[in-house]
């Protein structure tokens, strides 16, 4: 499986902080982050990825099962403040990745391609490298020491 990570140049955004129920969250960088009510933040935090299904897919080596369950609740906060993350995700998704996701709180984004799509993954890397807002882009392959793969 080829993985295509790409980092944006500006670094990680600040996340909003909530004070009391019903009040608007106060972002650290108010000029770049949208404001959310406490209820909206709680809803976002309740939408967790299927960790058990992901663990099962990892145990059985089911790559599609893994990519179908990829999710990051922090994208809902980070992407509005850093739209380049969404544009990178769209570029990777539109080029037949099995899955694409922002890593952690950003700004790194990665896409997963089947081993049969190594050339496609490299073309996506080349497209990302042409964008001024992308700091780095690479295609990498996993290596499993226990199985010698």
């Amino acid at each position: 499986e080829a993985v295509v990570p790409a980092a944006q140049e500006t670094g990680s955004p600040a996340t909003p902080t909530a004070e009391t129920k019903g009040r608007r969250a106060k972002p650290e960088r108010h000029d770049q982050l949208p404001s959310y009510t406490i209820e909206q933040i709680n809803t976002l935090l309740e939408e967790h990825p299927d960790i058990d299904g992901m663990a099962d897919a990892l145990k059985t080596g089911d790559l599609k099962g893994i990519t179908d369950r990829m999710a990051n609740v922090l994208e809902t906060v980070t992407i509005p403040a850093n739209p380049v993350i969404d544009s990178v995700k769209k570029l990777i998704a539109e080029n037949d990745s099995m899955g694409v996701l922002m890593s952690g709180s950003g700004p790194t984004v990665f896409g997963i391609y089947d081993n049969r799509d190594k050339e496609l993954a490299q073309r996506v890397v080349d497209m990302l490298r042409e964008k001024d807002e992308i700091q780095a882009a690479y295609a990498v392959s996993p290596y499993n020491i226990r199985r010698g793969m």
Side-chain angles (χ1 to χ4, degrees), residues 23-36:
R23 294 178 77 185
R24 292 256 173 207
K26 295 183 180 180
E28 293 175 26
R29 293 186 348 205
H30 62 79
D31 60 324
Q32 294 187 14
L33 289 177
S35 60
Y36 293 91

Side-chain angles (χ1 to χ4, degrees), residues 50-63 65-66 69:
D50 178 8
I51 301 299
D52 293 334
M54 175 75 75
D56 290 342
L58 285 165
K59 288 176 191 172
T60 62
D62 178 8
L63 182 59
I66 294 167
R69 290 173 176 84

Side-chain angles (χ1 to χ4, degrees), residues 5-9 84 87-88 127-137:
Q8 68 145 357
E9 199 166 6
V84 69
S87 69
V88 168
M127 286 187 266
L128 289 167
R129 287 179 177 165
E130 291 175 9
K131 296 188 168 292
D132 291 336
E133 64 268 22
I134 304 301
Q135 185 177 12

Side-chain angles (χ1 to χ4, degrees), residues 1 19 31 50 123:
E1 303 81 61
E19 291 182 1
D31 60 324
D50 178 8
R123 285 195 304 273

